Amino acid sequence: MRASNKYIAIMAILVVIVQGIIVSPAFAQKAPARPVARPLATATAPAPKYRGPRTADGKPDLTGIWQAMNTAEWDIQAHDAKAGPLVVMGAVGAIPAGFGVVEDGPLPYRPEALAKKRENEANWLALDPVVKCFLPGLPRATYMPFPFQIVQSPQFVSFTYEFAFASRVVNIGMKSKAPVDSWMGWSSGSWDGDTLVVDVTGMVEDTWFDRAGDYHSDALHLTERYTPTSANTLLYEVTVDDPKVYTRPWKMSMPLYRRMEKNMQLLEYNCVPFAEEVMYGHLRKIRTPGEVQEEDAAPRR
């Protein structure tokens, strides 16, 4: 017991001696100064701006085949996975979940317009123009699950979409207005630094933004922005202005990815034959069993 007390006393004395040495002026002069914490230079330096290949006139070269990789075609707003409209398709026809591509919350629908959107969604298969192979319009053509191709010259930038042979030409510097409304609209372009800015007007009111029934009126005005962010990505931004349907302009944004497969090219997706039965099946002639038998028995020429 006494030995233990003696040991504790010795340790206490040693602690006092060590503390005295550490705080003594002599030790403080010899001890290296603690380095002052400074932020790393890279923490405050702006990220380098991507500068990619240029065309002959010095503009960013957007030429290539591109595709969006998201679920905006099903619903541009955030949504959970859910069953599709056809029970017989099971999981194959279900709707995948997605974070959405709309910025700053839900779409600012006017009350009467929101009621129509809900009706569209409830009757998607019967009302969506794309089901009937009509042209998808903009911006929907950009994020459908099909690639599209950009070909560029100093005066024109052409967009060709795989779905239903849709296409449009962006006229750089064009000031004229659309002579008539159309499914893909009237596109005039300009350059804002490395960003292609496209002003789209003159669109028919029949196109939708997605399969969830989000729609617009004939007053739709789009401002698209295409900005190269790397060798194989573009940032796509589009501002939607339609005072007949929405209380304020709103914006979508998403990356577009270059298709890198060997010998990549747009393939044919002529959907008209796929939609004929849906649109005109009720007009087909119904043959009686006797007519079928006669036609089968008739000699072939």
Side-chain angles (χ1 to χ4, degrees):
M1 185 71 177
R2 293 178 181 177
S4 176
N5 292 338
K6 184 177 179 180
Y7 174 77
I8 294 173
I10 294 173
M11 291 299 297
I13 294 171
L14 290 175
V15 170
V16 172
I17 294 173
V18 171
Q19 290 177 340
I21 294 174
I22 292 175
V23 300
S24 66
F27 182 86
Q29 291 176 0
K30 295 179 182 180
R34 181 185 294 272
V36 178
R38 294 184 175 89
L40 296 175
T42 56
T44 56
K49 187 176 181 180
Y50 172 73
R51 182 177 174 82
R54 303 275 153 169
T55 59
D57 61 338
K59 301 300 182 184
D61 189 356
L62 308 182
T63 300
I65 298 178
W66 307 89
Q67 188 168 349
M69 301 293 290
N70 55 40
T71 60
E73 162 62 13
W74 285 267
D75 195 336
I76 59 176
Q77 301 186 82
H79 58 280
D80 295 328
K82 57 184 178 181
L86 298 177
V87 177
V88 295
M89 294 189 67
V92 176
I95 298 170
F99 289 109
V101 295
V102 177
E103 299 184 2
D104 300 324
L107 295 181
Y109 275 108
R110 295 186 177 278
E112 65 278 9
L114 180 58
K116 181 177 179 180
K117 174 265 192 296
R118 290 171 176 167
E119 180 184 354
N120 289 344
E121 186 173 18
N123 299 278
W124 164 56
L125 282 178
L127 300 179
D128 187 352
V130 163
V131 174
K132 302 176 179 66
C133 192
F134 288 111
L135 297 182
L138 296 165
R140 189 176 182 179
T142 308
Y143 47 78
M144 294 184 75
F146 296 87
F148 65 92
Q149 186 169 17
I150 299 178
V151 177
Q152 184 177 343
S153 73
Q155 188 176 356
F156 303 102
V157 180
S158 70
F159 288 73
T160 304
Y161 304 89
E162 186 169 292
F163 182 87
F165 305 115
S167 65
R168 62 168 171 152
V169 174
V170 178
N171 192 322
I172 303 298
M174 180 177 62
K175 302 299 182 182
S176 59
K177 295 183 178 181
V180 64
D181 290 350
S182 61
W183 287 88
M184 298 301 289
W186 187 253
S187 298
S188 61
S190 62
W191 289 96
D192 179 12
D194 284 355
T195 299
L196 173 65
V197 181
V198 184
D199 189 83
V200 186
T201 56
M203 291 186 60
V204 297
E205 61 182 344
D206 302 275
T207 64
W208 287 8
F209 294 130
D210 54 25
R211 302 182 190 182
D214 293 304
Y215 76 105
H216 61 87
S217 74
D218 58 355
L220 178 65
H221 175 203
L222 301 177
T223 303
E224 300 178 296
R225 297 177 64 88
Y226 297 83
T227 306
T229 51
S230 75
N232 298 312
T233 58
L234 300 176
L235 174 62
Y236 177 68
E237 303 167 282
V238 56
T239 299
V240 178
D241 187 9
D242 187 345
K244 291 185 178 181
V245 178
Y246 304 100
T247 59
R248 59 172 174 81
W250 50 276
K251 180 181 176 182
M252 290 187 281
S253 62
M254 67 193 73
L256 302 175
Y257 300 93
R258 186 188 300 274
R259 293 290 297 266
M260 300 293 293
E261 295 91 332
K262 183 179 180 181
N263 299 326
M264 179 62 194
Q265 57 185 303
L266 296 188
L267 301 178
E268 181 179 287
Y269 190 81
N270 177 19
C271 55
V272 171
F274 312 150
E276 287 180 339
E277 182 67 19
V278 172
M279 297 180 66
Y280 310 117
H282 64 288
L283 299 177
R284 65 182 179 273
K285 179 182 178 182
I286 305 299
R287 297 185 300 168
T288 65
E291 290 175 333
V292 172
Q293 186 176 7
E294 290 179 2
E295 291 178 7
D296 291 343
R300 303 296 180 184
R301 295 182 180 180

